[in-house]
Amino acid sequence: MFCSTVIESYECYTHSNWKYLDIKRPYSIIYYIIDGTGYYKIGDKTELFKKGHLYIFPANVPYSLYDDENDKLYQAYVHAFIHPEIKQLVDLDVEKDEFLK
C-alpha cells in the first residue's frame, strides 16, 4: 500500500457541533487521534477510534465520522489517494509499529 497523492491535511481540535454525515469523495482518509475519542460509522457498524492509532478508510462510500459530544477531539488527518484502493477501515497501532512510532 502506498500514498500517491496528498490532497490536503490538517491538525485541529473539533468543536462541539462537529459532524459529517454521508460524505462521498474519491479518495481515502488517513486519520490519527492525538487526544480524545472519535467514531467511524459505516452502514450499521460503528468503530471507536482509539488514541495513538492510525486509521485509513475509504471516503468513496457513505459514512459518518463524529466525536463524542462530551469529549473534545484533537486529531490530524490527510486526504490522499492510496494504491491499491482501500475498501475497508484499516486500524494501525502506532505504538506497536516501530516505523510509525
Side-chain angles (χ1 to χ4, degrees), residues 62-98:
Y63 71 91
S64 298
L65 182 64
Y66 54 93
D67 68 329
D68 181 338
E69 294 175 3
N70 300 313
D71 191 9
K72 296 295 180 189
L73 180 65
Y74 182 35
Q75 80 274 355
Y77 64 90
V78 176
H79 294 169
F81 288 102
I82 306 290
H83 299 282
E85 182 181 354
I86 300 295
K87 302 280 187 187
Q88 61 188 14
L89 179 68
V90 175
D91 177 358
L92 302 170
D93 187 342
V94 172
E95 293 298 316
K96 290 185 179 179
D97 185 304
E98 192 60 35

Side-chain angles (χ1 to χ4, degrees), residues 22 40-48 61-64 66:
D22 295 332
Y40 174 79
K41 181 176 181 180
I42 185 163
D44 294 333
K45 188 174 181 183
T46 301
E47 296 283 340
L48 172 66
V61 295
Y63 71 91
S64 298
Y66 54 93

